[in-house]
Amino acid sequence: MKRRDFIKAGSLATACVCMGGINSCSMISGTSDVQSAPANALSFNDDSIIIDCSKLPNLEHAGFATKFHDEERDIKYILICPENGKHLAFLDKCTHFGRELNYDYPGKRLECSSFGHSKFTLEGERIEGPADGPLTSVPIKKEGNRLILSRV
């Protein structure tokens, strides 16, 4: 290993430790680890997004989370299930730098996927971190085997 490469690697390792450990290094990119919903589970109309629950078999189970992208309006959403049969939806955008969110089911909160790790209640209120304010929640209702979100 060249001296320059060694110094770069050492600097990165030091920065990661100083900023909260090895797990923080994976968070610098701001990319979430929540899986995207399959395209065939979603349909869009002028004012709503319809999610076919039969296409997401774990949707009703506590701890489930999924994401999807409204490409027409270029808006990302995160949908979570904090309790069996209960669903919450938010814009998938931290109010600090607009990074994606992760769902921390054991901690009962949402977290920014970027360094700084702003944390939010399941009501979207900021708990801690550099975020400027609360998350944007999205109205959601259940009709039969479908979830209907208001389109932002």
Side-chain angles (χ1 to χ4, degrees), residues 53 59-60 79-83 85-89 140 142 147:
C53 298
L59 183 63
E60 298 296 324
L79 172 69
I80 65 171
C81 181
E83 302 171 16
K86 179 180 178 182
H87 301 95
L88 301 171
I140 185 170
K142 187 164 186 172
L147 292 177

Side-chain angles (χ1 to χ4, degrees), residues 1 4-14:
M1 176 182 279
R4 177 175 291 178
D5 294 333
F6 178 78
I7 291 170
K8 282 183 184 177
S11 297
L12 179 58
T14 301

Side-chain angles (χ1 to χ4, degrees), residues 130-147:
D132 299 331
L135 298 174
T136 302
S137 68
V138 177
I140 185 170
K141 61 184 176 179
K142 187 164 186 172
E143 290 182 359
N145 199 29
R146 302 180 315 164
L147 292 177

Side-chain angles (χ1 to χ4, degrees), residues 80-130:
I80 65 171
C81 181
E83 302 171 16
N84 288 341
K86 179 180 178 182
H87 301 95
L88 301 171
F90 299 90
L91 294 186
D92 188 18
K93 185 176 183 179
C94 178
T95 57
H96 182 222
F97 275 130
R99 302 286 192 202
E100 294 180 6
L101 301 169
N102 281 310
Y103 176 43
D104 176 10
Y105 172 65
K108 299 190 183 314
R109 64 184 176 212
L110 292 157
E111 297 181 344
C112 179
S113 61
S114 188
F115 177 74
H117 311 291
S118 292
K119 295 172 178 61
F120 303 88
T121 67
L122 296 182
E123 290 76 37
E125 296 299 317
R126 187 182 73 80
I127 299 169
E128 64 182 52

Side-chain angles (χ1 to χ4, degrees), residues 62-77:
F64 178 82
T66 192
K67 295 184 170 219
F68 52 92
H69 185 195
D70 180 345
E71 292 181 14
E72 182 181 311
R73 297 186 182 176
D74 195 23
I75 298 172
K76 295 179 181 179
Y77 298 83

